[in-house]
Amino acid sequence: MAVGLAPGWTTVMVELEVLSDRGLAPLRPDQGHGLVFELLSAWDPEAATELHRDPRDKGFRSGWLQTAEGDLPGPDQPQGTVLYWPLGATRPEVRQMLYALAGAAPEEVRFGANVLGVRMVWPGVDVAAEDAIDESGDPAWADVDFQTPTAFRGRDSAGRNVVHSWPAPRLLIEGLARRWERMIPVPLPVDLRAMDEGAVTIERWAGRCLRAEVERQTVWGGVGQFRYRLPVEPGAARAAAVLLRWAEAAGVGWRAPHGFGQVAVELGGTQRGR
């Protein structure tokens, strides 16, 4: 069941550090092809050259370069800045290359006048969702196990920036939807950010807060098991299920690339049985 998404989509997240002493301008997706081929050439130069010459679709998509918090970077990123770059593959041979890079990424790569250190490549995740949803109907609930401290950025009633440790449904779903939009150039069948308050609810939970130190800042993050009731609007439960299943690889909330917000998800029930 492809859920209206492009089958076979795979994403990896590449961690890049600015090593050159000149500022790195934000990288648009359409500027990323050269950088993609630099990375692929480090794994298999001949295959990368053939792919570059192929007049068809290149078999990959480049997302926006972003900060660890998932924001778009400013105009110039100074030396030492660490940024994250999502890539997606639509062809089997490109998918194999990206998976191979997870264990054999080059230490650095040149992009124009910039030198970028390649520190990490996240393992890929298929988002076709054939295994995410039971054939009997849209799932009614999702059990989410927050296995590492999870926090969400937001604003308080006075408009000040705050960090929340409670995985409220809107923070969870809207945050994942924004991350999907930046990383996966295939829209979800339903805009979950437009849902009414209360469309997703917490049915039961058991958890606690843990303290973590991040760059000399103390952060409280939640861990534990939560059952979320999924929305009843047509297609919305299915879209939410795809997002939550994808969250097992993409992470949720603040500082996910640093190990925060790692989750395991189990879907269950059917909307017809509610």
Side-chain angles (χ1 to χ4, degrees):
M1 182 180 299
V3 201
L5 305 176
W9 257 96
T10 299
T11 61
V12 295
M13 183 70 84
V14 184
E15 183 181 272
L16 300 172
E17 180 181 358
V18 181
L19 300 180
S20 49
D21 56 6
R22 59 179 298 169
L24 176 68
L27 178 69
R28 299 195 312 269
D30 61 344
Q31 295 175 309
H33 282 200
L35 190 51
V36 172
F37 284 111
E38 287 288 342
L39 286 170
L40 294 181
S41 294
W43 178 73
D44 188 333
E46 292 185 5
T49 299
E50 288 299 317
L51 193 68
H52 188 61
R53 293 173 178 170
D54 195 326
R56 301 176 299 164
D57 174 56
K58 300 301 182 185
F60 63 82
R61 294 290 185 274
S62 170
W64 287 90
L65 205 62
Q66 55 196 263
T67 67
E69 292 81 13
D71 299 325
L72 298 181
D76 291 295
Q77 299 301 305
Q79 187 177 30
T81 300
V82 176
L83 298 169
Y84 296 86
W85 179 41
L87 297 176
T90 56
R91 288 166 53 184
E93 63 270 32
V94 180
R95 188 177 307 122
Q96 291 173 3
M97 290 182 181
L98 293 181
Y99 279 140
L101 279 172
E107 292 185 0
E108 63 181 46
V109 64
R110 290 189 175 274
F111 183 65
N114 294 283
V115 179
L116 302 173
V118 182
R119 300 296 187 189
M120 176 187 70
V121 178
W122 278 6
V125 52
D126 292 327
V127 298
E130 286 91 347
D131 298 328
I133 299 172
D134 190 277
E135 291 287 348
S136 60
D138 292 357
W141 49 261
D143 284 341
V144 181
D145 182 4
F146 296 92
Q147 299 177 332
T148 62
T150 303
F152 301 86
R153 293 192 310 164
R155 294 183 182 275
D156 61 15
S157 58
R160 295 170 297 194
N161 290 325
V162 294
V163 177
H164 302 278
S165 59
W166 176 255
R170 181 168 292 278
L171 291 175
L172 175 65
I173 298 298
E174 288 190 356
L176 281 169
R178 285 194 300 270
R179 185 166 296 170
W180 176 284
E181 187 176 73
R182 288 180 178 169
M183 293 178 63
I184 310 294
V186 180
L188 289 165
V190 174
D191 183 4
L192 297 174
R193 290 176 296 177
M195 288 190 308
D196 294 335
E197 192 77 37
V200 179
T201 59
I202 295 175
E203 186 173 88
R204 61 174 184 254
W205 66 277
R208 59 195 177 101
C209 283
L210 294 179
R211 176 179 173 178
E213 298 289 334
V214 181
E215 297 178 354
R216 299 182 181 179
Q217 179 182 2
T218 299
V219 177
W220 290 91
V223 295
Q225 295 77 43
F226 286 69
R227 171 164 289 188
Y228 293 88
R229 274 285 168 178
L230 300 182
V232 298
E233 291 81 0
R238 189 168 301 185
V242 171
L243 272 184
L244 290 168
R245 183 68 82 191
W246 178 65
E248 291 186 318
V252 300
W254 184 67
R255 297 277 184 176
H258 291 174
F260 280 62
Q262 303 304 295
V263 299
V265 177
E266 180 180 347
L267 304 171
T270 63
Q271 293 290 349
R272 289 196 297 269
R274 293 180 65 172

